Amino acid sequence: MKIWKVLVKSAVLIGILFQDTEDMLERSRKEGVRALVSVTEHSREFERLIRLSESYPGFLMPCFGVHPIQNNGDGPRSVTMKDLEAALLWFEKYQKDLVAIGEVGLDFTPWLTPTAKEREEQLKVLKLQLDFAKQWDLPVNVHSRSAGRQTIEFLKEQGIEKALLHNFAGRPSAALDGVKAGYFFSFPPAVTKNNQREKVIRQIPLENICLETDSPALGPNREERNVPWNIHIPCEYIAQVKGLSPETVWEATTHNALRLFQKMNHKLNK
């Protein structure tokens, strides 16, 4: 499971299935994090996320989603409709508590999704979850590894108006198609190690950028667990790339996150 963390000035991800989860949440508060938006990857995480959000009202914001790559302990594999079926009752039961649908999307990494049949299955799973987002007027948090352009085109075809393409690694031209559709793009601390991502960041308007950590993954150093308070790293990097002050990036990305995750505005005031 991951957490979308929205600092007073941003939005981020953090893992929450560790024994020290509550310690991490408390430390995040002390470090200045105002709120966290948590995204799931499979239905086994749903109940725990709801319970945590009940323990941290106005701070931990839940999202449900079935990720395009699943791992039941026997190695990663492409998602199937059976994986989604196990989640359907949870979606219906807790839809009023959710601030977004995610993490959902497409992953066409060749060694994970080698066949056309598997890619078609991913599209079916994604479509049904996009239907939930439209029905409940929720944004979607989207994974698009090795499928940046395909993902954006599919979102547009399905009539999605509110989307966050997290850790987007597609071509700048694909990103600009998403910008035209009104989508947002977020970048984690690991972006500082990827020169290709700099080109994307240069071309995406600041009005379409959010921040993330994707904790516990995608931190500044692979050998270390990523944490939510690393949110300042992508902020400072984006500021450097765009020739802006970090304060300007903080302010803009906070505004963007609250525009995208609109239900947060009510929950933050609880």
Side-chain angles (χ1 to χ4, degrees):
M1 188 183 305
K2 300 175 182 175
I3 294 184
W4 256 118
K5 160 207 158 194
V6 174
L7 210 131
V8 169
K9 314 166 182 175
S10 62
V12 212
L13 296 170
I14 143 189
I16 81 174
L17 290 183
F18 296 97
Q19 291 183 347
D20 63 346
T21 293
E22 295 191 9
D23 290 339
M24 293 288 285
L25 293 173
E26 293 297 338
R27 172 75 184 275
S28 296
R29 276 177 163 169
K30 291 178 181 178
E31 294 287 343
V33 177
R34 178 65 180 85
L36 302 101
V37 179
S38 170
V39 302
T40 55
E41 295 186 346
H42 48 76
S43 60
R44 299 187 303 278
E45 298 171 330
F46 289 4
E47 184 173 14
R48 179 154 189 224
L49 176 55
I50 289 296
R51 299 297 165 248
L52 279 171
S53 69
E54 291 171 346
S55 298
Y56 292 87
F59 182 68
L60 186 61
M61 314 288 181
C63 312
F64 284 179
V66 176
H67 194 277
I69 300 299
Q70 297 288 293
N71 191 335
N72 296 326
D74 52 355
R77 59 170 175 78
S78 189
V79 72
T80 68
M81 287 297 294
K82 186 175 181 181
D83 297 311
L84 180 59
E85 288 168 3
L88 295 180
L89 290 178
W90 291 98
F91 277 110
E92 292 288 350
K93 184 175 181 179
Y94 291 106
Q95 59 98 354
K96 292 183 179 179
D97 298 295
L98 305 179
V99 299
I101 300 297
E103 180 173 343
V104 300
L106 301 175
D107 192 318
F108 291 170
T109 305
W111 56 90
L112 291 173
T113 314
T115 69
K117 181 179 179 181
E118 288 170 317
R119 292 191 288 273
E120 286 298 322
E121 191 87 346
Q122 283 194 17
L123 287 165
K124 291 177 182 178
V125 171
L126 176 57
K127 182 184 183 305
L128 283 175
Q129 293 183 96
L130 296 180
D131 288 344
F132 285 137
K134 290 186 291 185
Q135 179 182 345
W136 301 328
D137 192 26
L138 293 174
V140 287
N141 178 55
V142 184
H143 175 99
S144 57
R145 186 166 54 189
S146 297
R149 188 174 297 279
Q150 297 98 317
T151 302
I152 289 173
E153 287 302 318
F154 192 70
L155 293 175
K156 290 163 60 178
E157 289 171 8
Q158 296 303 312
I160 295 299
E161 297 180 352
K162 296 180 290 185
L164 178 71
L165 281 294
H166 108 86
N167 189 33
F168 187 76
R171 295 181 180 276
S173 58
L176 291 177
D177 284 343
V179 168
K180 290 177 183 177
Y183 301 156
F184 294 85
F185 296 80
S186 60
F187 302 94
V191 72
T192 61
K193 310 293 184 181
N194 190 310
N195 292 333
Q196 179 187 359
R197 217 66 57 84
E198 179 180 341
K199 298 176 184 178
V200 177
I201 291 171
R202 284 188 186 279
Q203 295 200 36
I204 297 175
L206 185 58
E207 292 76 16
N208 294 82
I209 292 179
C210 290
L211 306 178
E212 65 168 289
T213 60
D214 201 37
S215 311
L218 300 184
N221 301 300
R222 285 189 177 185
E223 63 275 12
E224 297 177 7
R225 183 172 69 167
N226 196 12
V227 293
W229 47 94
N230 279 340
I231 191 63
H232 69 92
I233 296 174
C235 175
E236 292 163 2
Y237 180 76
I238 291 168
Q240 177 186 339
V241 169
K242 287 189 168 293
L244 302 169
S245 69
E247 291 75 17
T248 297
V249 175
W250 278 128
E251 183 177 352
T253 53
T254 300
H255 178 67
N256 295 343
L258 294 175
R259 277 197 297 142
L260 178 63
F261 299 103
Q262 293 180 5
K263 287 180 69 174
M264 282 184 52
N265 292 280
H266 170 70
K267 291 177 176 287
L268 283 169
N269 294 325
K270 281 189 175 182

